[in-house]
């Protein structure tokens, strides 16, 4: 062995070189072939991972993701600019998707698959963002204190008959900003201002921090009704099935029959992503029947793809007509909505 090592050092060199080159080749070819998509998500891991896992299983493409609040994610994408590694942004509320679009984060994706899987009012007219699940913002009332026959619309919540009976979530959260923005799209600013002013004068208590708290106030009899996203109602009732809370679908008929205010969680492809084709494939997959079924089952939301039924609990709340004004309005009119709420003292 001693003799060989001194004697053959030079003749061994090419073999070592070949070994290293081969290793390098295998390593780099793996880098080229290991397809991946990198996602920034304002939705928590448990709400996105099952869809990503299904996608990887189907395509072999890995999905890597970072989760954070929508504000920091948007700021990060803007700071990273062309150097971002993110291929896709997932967030909730059309207002947030619109803001990302305004910040030039997205690139348009003209996809027949997305167009046929997602109803037109739930995606950006410029094809920059796409709704992937629907949340309905509806009326929840105390079943001991309210006869549902007395309920009709968001607009009716301004009627003096609800004086000191209404609870609302704070206007600081985007959900009610989007609701008011969509009302401006429907009624114009002056009429919406009159309505929201009526809400404020009907408040039983200061606006509350979140939807669940608003329902807890209703259940405790501190007010009689409120407006929340359906999945919060689903979660609360799952934990406390005996709470005296009923769900009511407003704006189904009569004077205001423009449908329930819906919003979305959705996604768009980033302008500077490094894996554009794989990201397109993932986005289309997320609208597919397979992924939409997961969306429907995971968070008690409604699938955007109308070929899928909602999960049984969600279905038990009944069918409703949804407002079908394009949700881009929730973004376009957001600033007007915030100012309007401020003017009428809705905190
Ligand atoms: Fe929420």
């Amino acid at each position: 062995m001693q003799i060989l090592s001194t004697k053959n050092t030079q003749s061994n060199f090419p073999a070592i070189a070949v070994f290293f080159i081969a290793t390098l080749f295998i390593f780099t070819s793996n880098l080229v072939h290991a397809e991946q998509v990198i996602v920034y998500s304002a939705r928590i891991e448990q709400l996105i991972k099952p869809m990503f896992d299904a996608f990887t299983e189907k395509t072999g493409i890995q999905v890597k993701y970072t989760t954070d609040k929508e504000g920091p994610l948007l700021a990060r994408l803007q700071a990273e600019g062309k150097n971002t590694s993110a291929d896709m942004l997932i967030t909730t509320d059309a207002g947030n998707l619109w803001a990302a679009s305004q910040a030039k984060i997205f690139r348009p994706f003209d996809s027949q698959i997305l167009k046929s899987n997602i109803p037109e009012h739930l995606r950006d007219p410029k094809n920059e963002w796409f709704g992937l699940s629907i949340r309905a913002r509806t009326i929840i009332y105390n079943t001991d204190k309210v006869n549902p026959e007395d309920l009709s619309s968001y607009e009716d919540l301004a009627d003096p008959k609800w004086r000191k009976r209404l609870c609302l979530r704070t206007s600081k959260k985007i959900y009610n900003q989007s609701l008011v923005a969509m009302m401006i799209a429907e009624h114009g600013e002056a009429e919406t201002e009159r309505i929201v002013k009526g809400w404020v004068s009907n408040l039983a208590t200061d606006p509350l921090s979140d939807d669940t708290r608003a329902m807890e106030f209703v259940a405790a009899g501190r007010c009689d009704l409120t407006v929340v996203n359906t999945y919060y109602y689903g979660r609360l009732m799952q934990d406390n099935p005996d709470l005296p809370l009923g769900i009511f679908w407003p704006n189904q008929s009569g004077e205001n029959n423009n449908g329930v205010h819906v919003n979305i969680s959705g996604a768009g492809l980033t302008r500077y992503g490094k894996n554009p084709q794989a990201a397109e494939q993932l986005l289309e997959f997320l609208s597919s029947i397979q992924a939409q079924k997961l969306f429907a089952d995971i968070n008690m939301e409604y699938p955007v793809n109308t070929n899928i039924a909602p999960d049984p609990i969600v279905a038990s709340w009944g069918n409703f007509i949804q407002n079908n004004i394009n949700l881009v309005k929730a973004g376009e009119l957001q600033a007007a909505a915030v100012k309007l709420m401020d003017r009428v003292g809705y905190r």
Side-chain angles (χ1 to χ4, degrees), residues 56 150 161 179 214 326:
T56 302
D150 292 336
K161 73 183 174 206
L179 170 62
N326 192 293

Side-chain angles (χ1 to χ4, degrees), residues 137 139 153-160 162-169 171 175-181 183 187 191-205 207 227 251 261 340-341 344-346:
R137 197 155 184 80
I139 295 175
S153 64
Y154 304 104
E155 290 80 356
D156 174 68
L157 298 180
D159 189 284
W162 303 115
R163 188 139 178 81
K164 297 216 183 303
R165 299 176 73 186
L166 179 65
C167 273
L168 285 178
R169 184 181 191 155
S171 65
Y175 296 158
N176 282 343
Q177 296 171 6
S178 290
L179 170 62
V180 171
M183 288 174 68
H187 298 297
E191 174 62 3
T192 305
E193 184 160 341
R194 189 195 65 75
I195 295 161
V196 179
K197 203 173 183 175
W199 292 356
V200 173
S201 48
N202 285 340
L203 286 177
T205 179
V227 177
N251 298 60
H261 169 64
L340 186 156
M341 290 189 282
V344 299
Y346 177 9

Side-chain angles (χ1 to χ4, degrees), residues 135 175 229 231-232:
R135 53 273 305 283
Y175 296 158
N229 284 357
Y231 55 91
Y232 291 113

